[in-house]
Amino acid sequence: MAIGAELHVASRYLVGTRRWTPVVTVTLISLLGLGLGVFALVVTLALLDGFQSGIRSQIEARAAHAEVRPTSGRRLAEPDRLASLLQGRLGEVEIVQVVRGMCLVGSGTGAVPASVVGRSDTDRTTVDSVLARRLGIGAGDRIEVISARQRLTPMGPLPVRFTADVGRLAPPAPGDEAGTVELPLDRAQRLLWGEPVVGAIELRDPADPWGLGDRARAILEEAAAPVRVAGLVELHRPLLTALALEKIMIFVAVGLMLVVAALNLLCNVAMVAAEKRKDLAVMAGLGSTPGSLRRLFLVLGLVIGLVGSVAGAVVGSAVAITLDRTEALELPSGVFMVSAVPFEIDPATLALVVAVALGLSAGAAWLPARLVARREPAEGLRYE
Amino acid sequence: MSERPPMVRAEGLGKGYGSGPTRLEVLDGLDLEVPAGQMLAVVGPSGVGKSTLLHLIGLLDRPDRGRLALDGLAADDLDGNRRAGLRSRLIGFVFQHHHLLDELDALDNVALPLRIAGVRAAGARDRAAELLDAVGLTGRASHFPDQLSGGEQQRVSVARALAMRPGLLLADEPTGNLDRDNAERLFELVIELHLKAGLTSIIVTHNEEMARRCDRIFRLAPRAELSSDVRTV
């Protein structure tokens, strides 16, 4: 049978009838099932993408996009030369020399361990909100930073320490639970090392945050510098892996709805095959091959799958976009980084959902189609 | 010039249904030869296997035993696709219950075999219109089966059977569901088309009067040796 004839008969089964028949009823049920499954998956994934996109934006906005580190140890050799080299080759890129360590940070009420970061692009003391909450301090309060490094005094060895006024409070870096105090580079160097040691060079390029690591790596490999370069992906691998894993698990879990809808489609196509048993026998008598009868039911399943999944995808996308634009689902302030539930439609994810729905529809139609193709035509006529 | 082979040659044809003690042998060792151009009536009591014989000859079912050749071509060992191809090219069916597709109008029902064979929609519909004209249903082309009378439904069915210009017409009690007048008109139509198209026709019927108007009558009996073959002209 030519594909035109299959499409012709399948389309008449689906929409060409002039009265309400069981075929139309089961078709609508199948469409509804698949549409709802795709709708749920699209909205759920849009919600997830919305939140994950917010996290990625936070990373891009606040964290370094690439970092140059020594291949071993904690001291970066010739940091000024490397910084000049990168600045010369990369152009409009923010380059910051940093040194990191752990200290005790105290206020009048107590002290807690925290990360200390010295940066060449700041001249004041910044405390993130996690540490500020732990210490019970705010902007303008005085803190004391106590290093593990010691110096000899007439009273014996004492830890190096200094006091500073908190210039401002900053939001925490994603995943930072200990808290961080940020200092001017020279003060951090004196505190942690007692000499001008640079631990790493941070690079930021808002125009190409995810590609900056590769570009810097190429430049430094060409210069044979004994350093390692970590891009945005390497710097945040655990978090990004967790986000990707979360998306996969949600896709699989909510995607089970599509499997249930496909099983419903299988039952319904099998019912159509039983109802149209006589038609199939007649068509076989008129020259339809077993393969073409199989294709007829595959076309039926695919048409139902296509209409159902496209309708579910369109409605799901429209709902997600509307909820995002209207900020209809508000979130408690101070708990989340955003004030309303964000939704984001990723075209690749949308295409994947529709493709999975179509694949499941074809699979669901394949089994009854196979059974139909195996029958001798006379079987369908014998019971008339 | 070589002699044309018979349109149908069946040797020792056997077919049964079911298994074990409930198995029923419907046909057993049946021999039949139908020369090209002949109109054969198959008669016999209900359940004797007339429709089964027609299904076997029409390649709608496979025999358990015996050999079958159509127009000189051995049809026993053909796979499903080649059997379908042979049905499409060589055989036209008219069933007792018209078996038109409810979702297609008369024109599309007649065009269906052509569409199945890959003929473009426009060409198929032109040929279908021609055939509806030939069976006297020009004005009923856009009517659906449930909008046609029983006689009209069977005439559409006859038109559909002839769509692919078959060499062999198989009709399974085509007048079985019609009143006397409609049955008479349909049979006249079948005879006319049989002669006009130079068909070989095998017609299963209970109507002795109609059977006698065929070239030959094959009386099917419960046991093959009791079957008889009568030439009427």
Side-chain angles (χ1 to χ4, degrees):
Chain A
M1 195 200 290
I3 189 77
E6 292 152 15
L7 273 175
H8 182 59
V9 175
S11 67
R12 289 308 182 97
Y13 279 171
L14 293 172
V15 295
T17 52
R18 294 157 297 121
R19 59 183 188 276
W20 201 258
T21 63
V23 175
V24 177
T25 307
V26 299
T27 299
L28 285 178
I29 291 170
S30 299
L31 277 174
L32 192 66
L34 271 170
L36 278 175
V38 170
F39 170 84
L41 200 50
V42 166
V43 172
T44 307
L45 292 175
L47 171 72
L48 197 64
D49 279 339
F51 274 115
Q52 292 197 354
S53 175
I55 293 171
R56 285 196 179 82
S57 300
Q58 292 287 322
I59 292 172
E60 287 176 20
R62 293 187 194 163
H65 298 162
E67 195 169 287
V68 181
R69 299 166 177 166
T71 49
S72 62
R74 296 167 58 205
R75 291 165 179 252
L76 190 65
E78 301 182 284
D80 292 334
R81 186 183 73 81
L82 294 176
S84 306
L85 175 66
L86 290 167
Q87 194 78 73
R89 295 283 297 275
L90 293 171
E92 296 296 315
V93 169
E94 295 170 33
I95 296 182
V96 180
Q97 296 184 18
V98 297
V99 63
R100 295 193 182 92
M102 290 293 291
C103 289
L104 274 178
V105 181
S107 64
T109 54
V112 295
S115 299
V116 171
V117 181
R119 301 178 60 87
S120 62
D121 63 342
T122 185
D123 57 1
R124 59 181 173 170
T125 302
T126 303
V127 172
D128 72 15
S129 55
V130 172
L131 184 56
R133 197 161 49 245
R134 292 174 73 193
L135 291 172
I137 58 169
D141 290 341
R142 176 156 292 186
I143 57 169
E144 187 175 29
V145 187
I146 306 161
S147 170
R149 196 171 70 79
Q150 296 181 329
R151 64 187 171 88
L152 274 177
T153 70
M155 290 176 286
L158 287 175
V160 176
R161 64 175 67 195
F162 78 88
T163 56
D165 293 330
V166 176
R168 70 180 184 98
L169 295 182
D176 182 7
E177 291 174 359
T180 300
V181 58
E182 205 173 274
L183 305 171
L185 181 63
D186 56 340
R187 295 199 76 168
Q189 285 171 332
R190 282 202 300 277
L191 186 72
L192 297 169
W193 291 92
E195 55 183 311
V197 168
V198 170
I201 295 174
E202 285 185 4
L203 308 170
R204 281 180 54 81
D205 182 4
D208 180 23
W210 298 93
L212 182 59
D214 289 339
R215 285 189 289 145
R217 189 177 297 116
I219 292 166
L220 294 172
E221 277 176 2
E222 196 182 307
V227 294
R228 283 184 299 126
V229 178
L232 208 42
V233 173
E234 291 90 349
L235 287 171
H236 300 280
R237 191 181 296 283
L239 178 62
L240 294 174
T241 305
L243 294 181
L245 196 60
E246 181 186 35
K247 190 168 177 179
I248 291 169
M249 295 312 292
I250 293 285
F251 192 104
V252 171
V254 183
L256 287 176
M257 278 184 71
L258 281 183
V259 176
V260 174
L263 289 175
N264 172 53
L265 176 63
L266 188 154
C267 295
N268 289 347
V269 172
M271 194 176 146
V272 174
E275 155 124 354
K276 295 296 177 188
R277 191 185 177 108
K278 176 207 76 178
D279 284 10
L280 297 171
V282 169
M283 287 169 71
L286 299 178
S288 288
T289 62
S292 64
L293 292 178
R294 194 166 47 231
R295 278 200 298 278
L296 169 66
F297 278 86
L298 284 176
V299 167
L300 261 180
L302 279 174
V303 168
I304 292 172
L306 188 68
V307 174
S309 53
V310 167
V314 168
V315 176
S317 301
V319 167
I321 290 168
T322 305
L323 289 175
D324 188 66
R325 289 195 179 157
T326 58
E327 299 191 344
L329 304 178
E330 289 182 4
L331 290 169
S333 59
V335 178
F336 293 94
M337 292 178 295
V338 288
S339 59
V341 176
F343 292 87
E344 185 175 301
I345 297 292
D346 174 21
T349 305
L350 198 62
L352 183 64
V353 171
V354 173
V356 168
L358 277 180
L360 286 171
S361 304
W366 182 81
L367 189 63
R370 191 162 166 262
L371 294 176
V372 161
R374 278 182 171 182
R375 275 187 215 139
E376 285 295 336
E379 281 181 47
L381 298 171
R382 202 172 295 140
Y383 302 103
E384 283 298 314
Chain B
M1 205 169 95
S2 64
E3 196 183 330
R4 186 172 176 186
M7 181 58 79
V8 177
R9 173 177 285 155
E11 291 172 6
L13 222 50
K15 179 73 182 174
Y17 299 107
S19 58
T22 60
R23 182 169 171 82
L24 177 67
E25 292 297 336
V26 178
L27 293 177
D28 191 10
L30 185 137
D31 296 323
L32 177 67
E33 196 169 293
V34 184
Q38 189 172 70
M39 181 177 243
L40 174 75
V42 178
V43 296
S46 293
V48 78
K50 301 187 296 294
S51 294
T52 298
L53 174 62
L54 218 58
H55 288 165
L56 293 177
I57 293 172
L59 307 181
L60 294 175
D61 210 349
R62 290 178 188 268
D64 297 332
R65 297 172 298 283
R67 305 203 57 81
L68 176 70
L70 296 178
D71 204 17
L73 178 70
D76 315 286
D77 303 324
L78 298 180
D79 63 18
N81 289 340
R82 295 186 67 187
R83 286 164 72 86
L86 201 54
R87 279 196 299 268
S88 173
R89 284 195 314 279
L90 187 69
I91 304 170
F93 284 98
V94 180
F95 302 99
Q96 179 180 4
H97 308 279
H98 57 84
H99 286 339
L100 300 174
L101 269 61
D102 292 338
E103 288 79 6
L104 304 184
D105 63 20
L107 192 72
D108 278 342
N109 261 296
V110 178
L112 188 60
L114 298 152
R115 298 291 306 274
I116 288 171
V119 177
R120 285 178 168 278
R125 290 170 73 88
D126 286 348
R127 165 83 177 139
E130 235 175 70
L131 285 162
L132 283 177
D133 191 36
V135 298
L137 289 174
T138 311
R140 311 289 265 167
S142 60
H143 287 67
F144 287 83
D146 61 0
Q147 296 169 323
L148 298 171
S149 69
E152 288 171 331
Q153 289 168 345
Q154 267 313 38
R155 277 191 278 162
V156 174
S157 179
V158 169
R160 181 179 66 183
L162 300 179
M164 288 291 290
R165 296 188 170 85
L168 176 61
L169 178 70
L170 302 178
D172 189 0
E173 299 192 40
T175 60
N177 283 343
L178 302 180
D179 59 50
R180 191 181 170 81
D181 286 350
N182 270 312
E184 179 62 31
R185 273 202 293 273
L186 187 88
F187 204 75
E188 286 293 338
L189 177 69
V190 170
I191 291 174
E192 182 192 330
L193 294 171
H194 165 84
L195 294 171
K196 213 162 151 184
L199 298 169
T200 305
S201 302
I202 300 178
I203 299 168
V204 168
T205 181
H206 275 115
N207 188 319
E208 282 288 340
E209 193 184 322
M210 286 174 184
R212 277 195 295 275
R213 291 163 69 183
C214 295
D215 301 329
R216 186 177 144 205
I217 299 173
F218 186 75
R219 290 188 190 282
L220 203 55
R223 287 169 56 199
E225 62 269 26
L226 299 179
S227 294
S228 61
D229 205 348
V230 179
R231 191 164 295 276
T232 60
V233 287

